[in-house]
């Protein structure tokens, strides 16, 4: 970067002014935004849905291969995805950032460019936050707020025996994209002259660096008058999310390996890395697809949707959560999603 | 500590279960709490007030002299203080934590003990959050949510010429407490055998380690039917907060040095450290008192309140923000509050 403005030249409040001066409020519910002790929201008879995520440099992202603009975009996506997973509509975000003095104003501007792009894409307002320094690294805290008609939210705990288990989009690509980026990073560190080989890998790299939340799926539910009985977003891998639904709904399930949607690009990448594509879908994280259950009666309403796959069904709790493999055998599903504490 | 349980033995979800298993919901507005993609709040015709703070080890707190239980308590206090500063009532919090593997389960339990104690004191429910690892240090993100009758919140921007400038409690003690703790830390590092000398300093140390938010002041406003015209909490020092009100209200002010409330314990500590008590009040931070303006007509309603001081009045914007010293001279007020980026 040719220009570098030290953040200390602005001070904390100058910095906040700079980063938030172009905000245009999109939601009537955003009554008081950035610039006071707190923001004020009025959802006019709707209920408020709220979630928070912390993203830590070196744990959740690596700035060596993550452009700051993408990171800003992804920060918003990760959070609104949780709001969609409640079958609600995101309306506001609050952003807390801590960063060391290795970050320039230009770097923060890039990050906010991504934040604002995502705010526009998902129709949410940035209404407040906190900006502070860290001794080391970049730390992001994002709180997303949404709205839902009274008692129309979808929890993880509503799945019942006989319901169909469905998932949007395809799975495993983000994990494979990350695997590729980590490999290229190692190669670069060993031989800095070698150019990264991302040829033909645009899809999987895009899935990890610039994921999207499935606002189209909740919009489709409203249009098709489908009320999922339970829902969760796939952030830790399909296995882990299925087990959350089973545990909280007190049910078991049958999952068919052959029904798990995996993109052709992912299969090819898995082959190259000598990985099992199904394992990538089950245990890889960060797909941000929606996993949900519906009543069998709703099957006809979604059976032709190109972005929804029926991957199994709900059983009694006693039957446990089982996967039927392509080879015809049956195994209990175990959580091997990303566990930040096993690092 | 004699017992140490590694967090990795529980996994992320086991940890969340452990930390949140004893939550008892206090507010009817907390419809869905911990354990789903997001929490759901229904404020039943009231408006929602929301704020976020990030606390970073080594920047905002030093675990060498901050007990984890106090830190948990303070985390909640710092956030609900922002809700009171909107003249609203806090109802829920969401907590995001990142920590390295140097923290044991027992350490986290201690932190949560403080969080739950504060939740009880301030009547708020912990309804969600995120728990993750960090490469280094302890990072806390707290989002506080509150409620207020429609359009009854108090912003920073409502002060008008002739309004009285008031502050609750006393100022500067937290800064002096911090100064003392930093001194004792240096002494300990140089001569580990020397016992800390905190004799007679309980008040100032308590103000930095276990501050309280002024829920009594907003309760008094309701009871006495006072609507402040503007309000802010004193987290960065009196000067900085006064300038926020002046800037956002487009007014000036006169502040009388002799009216600034400073506890006798603070004066004595300032004397020992060779510091000016007024400077500590103006530029020290973390008092979490409320600074507010009222119409002159409301003066009689609060003049006998032992915890409220009238410290000046609002003037035209052109007159600027001025302090009249005890010596009879006049100076412009300058922001020398804690600036995290000038470190």
């Amino acid at each position: 970067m040719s220009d570098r403005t030290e953040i200390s030249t602005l001070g904390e409040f100058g910095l906040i002014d700079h980063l938030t001066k172009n905000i245009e409020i999109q939601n009537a519910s955003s009554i008081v935004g950035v610039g006071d002790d707190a923001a004020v929201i009025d959802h006019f008879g709707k209920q408020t849905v709220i979630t928070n995520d912390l993203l830590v440099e070196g744990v959740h992202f690596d700035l060596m291969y993550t452009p700051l603009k993408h990171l800003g975009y992804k920060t918003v996506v990760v959070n609104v995805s949780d709001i969609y997973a409640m079958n609600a509509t995101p309306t506001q975000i609050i952003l807390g950032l801590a960063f060391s003095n290795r970050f320039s104003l230009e770097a923060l501007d890039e990050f906010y460019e991504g934040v604002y792009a995502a705010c526009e894409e998902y129709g949410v307002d940035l209404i407040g936050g906190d900006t502070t320094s860290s001794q080391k690294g970049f730390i992001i805290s994002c709180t997303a707020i949404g709205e839902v008609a009274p008692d129309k939210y979808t929890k993880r705990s509503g799945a019942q025996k006989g319901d169909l288990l469905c998932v949007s989009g395809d799975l495993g690509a983000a994990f494979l994209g990350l695997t590729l980026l980590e490999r290229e990073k190692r190669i670069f560190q060993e031989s800095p002259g070698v150019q990264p080989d991302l040829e033909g890998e645009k899809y999987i790299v895009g899935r990890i660096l610039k994921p999207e939340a499935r606002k189209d799926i909740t919009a489709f539910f409203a249009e098709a008058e489908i009320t999922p009985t339970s829902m969760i977003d796939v952030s830790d891998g399909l296995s882990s999310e299925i087990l959350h639904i089973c545990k909280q709904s007190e049910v078991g399930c049958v999952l068919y390996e052959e029904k798990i949607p995996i993109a052709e690009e992912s299969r090819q990448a898995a082959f190259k890395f000598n990985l099992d594509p199904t394992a990538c879908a089950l245990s890889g994280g960060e797909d941000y697809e929606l996993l949900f259950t519906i009543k069998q009666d709703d099957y006809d309403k979604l059976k032709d949707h190109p972005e929804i796959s029926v991957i199994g069904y709900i059983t009694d709790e006693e039957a446990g959560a089982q996967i039927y493999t392509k080879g015809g055998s049956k195994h209990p599903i175990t959580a091997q999603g990303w566990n930040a504490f096993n690092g």
Side-chain angles (χ1 to χ4, degrees), chain A:
Chain A
M1 231 173 293
S2 58
D3 291 326
R4 179 184 168 93
T5 308
E6 297 301 329
I7 286 159
S8 57
T9 61
L10 279 89
E12 183 182 355
F13 306 117
L15 174 64
I16 293 168
D17 285 349
H18 172 85
L19 295 172
T20 59
K21 64 179 184 288
N22 293 323
I23 292 178
E24 281 175 37
I25 293 294
Q26 302 179 71
N27 292 285
S29 55
S30 306
I31 301 179
V32 175
V34 171
D36 221 298
D37 294 277
V40 182
I41 304 168
D42 190 337
H43 279 136
F44 309 104
K46 292 193 174 182
Q47 289 173 345
T48 300
V49 183
I50 186 162
T51 182
N52 175 266
D53 265 302
L54 263 186
L55 302 174
V56 180
E57 184 181 351
V59 177
H60 300 95
F61 56 89
D62 186 330
L63 288 176
M64 191 163 165
Y65 52 68
T66 311
L68 279 162
K69 188 176 169 185
H70 284 31
L71 183 61
Y73 193 92
K74 184 168 175 172
T75 296
V76 178
V77 165
V78 168
N79 274 274
V80 299
S81 177
D82 279 325
I83 302 291
Y84 291 120
M86 300 296 286
N87 209 8
T89 304
T91 47
Q92 286 92 9
I93 59 162
I94 292 186
L95 206 54
L97 294 186
F99 40 85
S100 68
N101 57 11
R102 89 172 205 261
F103 289 87
S104 67
L105 185 61
E106 288 73 19
L108 281 189
D109 278 342
E110 229 185 295
F111 177 81
Y112 269 83
E113 233 182 277
V115 168
Y116 288 127
C119 282
E120 201 178 320
E121 175 66 22
Y122 294 98
V124 299
D125 298 319
L126 175 64
I127 56 165
D130 190 20
T131 307
T132 188
S133 59
S134 78
Q135 288 187 309
K136 196 189 160 204
F138 193 42
I139 300 146
I140 309 163
S141 162
C142 186
T143 301
I145 299 128
E147 61 180 29
V148 68
D151 303 328
K152 294 298 183 196
Y153 50 84
T154 301
K155 296 175 67 175
R156 297 176 178 175
S157 56
Q160 291 192 313
K161 186 182 173 180
D163 287 355
L164 301 176
L165 186 64
C166 311
V167 73
S168 66
D170 61 82
L171 302 172
F175 173 76
L176 286 157
L178 181 65
T179 305
L180 177 68
L181 291 172
E182 290 284 353
R183 188 194 67 175
E184 294 304 320
K185 179 182 166 180
R186 274 195 309 276
I187 292 172
F188 178 82
Q189 284 172 331
E190 286 159 15
S191 332
V194 178
Q195 287 299 305
D197 172 24
L198 304 178
E199 196 61 39
E201 313 289 12
K202 207 176 152 191
Y203 181 70
I204 60 169
V205 170
R207 290 284 283 177
I208 184 73
L209 291 185
K210 190 168 176 286
E212 298 286 355
R214 298 308 305 247
K215 66 174 180 174
D216 59 322
I217 300 294
T218 56
F220 167 73
F221 289 154
E223 193 190 296
E225 297 183 353
I226 295 171
T227 304
T229 52
S230 70
M231 185 150 57
I232 188 169
D233 75 332
V234 183
S235 54
D236 292 326
L238 182 62
S239 294
S240 172
E241 314 307 354
I242 286 179
L243 291 176
H244 278 303
I245 284 187
C246 286
K247 185 181 172 195
Q248 295 191 36
S249 296
E250 300 177 351
V251 295
C253 77
V254 165
L255 167 68
Y256 295 103
E257 182 190 1
E258 61 178 352
K259 301 285 189 187
I260 299 172
I262 297 172
E264 188 48 37
E265 294 89 334
S266 304
R267 290 192 191 280
Q268 287 180 13
F271 182 76
K272 269 200 220 171
F273 295 134
N274 211 9
L275 293 169
D276 173 19
T278 300
C280 296
L282 287 173
S283 303
E286 302 218 69
D287 289 314
Y288 301 107
E289 296 295 343
L290 292 171
L291 175 74
F292 56 95
T293 54
I294 57 162
K295 295 265 154 240
Q296 288 186 24
D297 291 347
D298 283 337
Y299 174 69
D300 281 341
K301 297 180 187 168
L302 59 63
K303 72 180 190 324
D304 296 326
H305 195 297
E307 290 283 314
I308 295 176
S309 306
V310 178
I311 56 176
Y313 61 91
I314 300 298
T315 61
D316 273 334
E317 191 172 14
E318 294 68 41
Q322 308 286 346
I323 180 167
Y324 284 73
T325 66
K326 287 176 187 168
S329 61
K330 191 177 97 168
H331 302 283
I333 297 172
T334 53
Q336 296 185 330
W338 288 358
N339 187 328
F341 296 100
N342 284 340

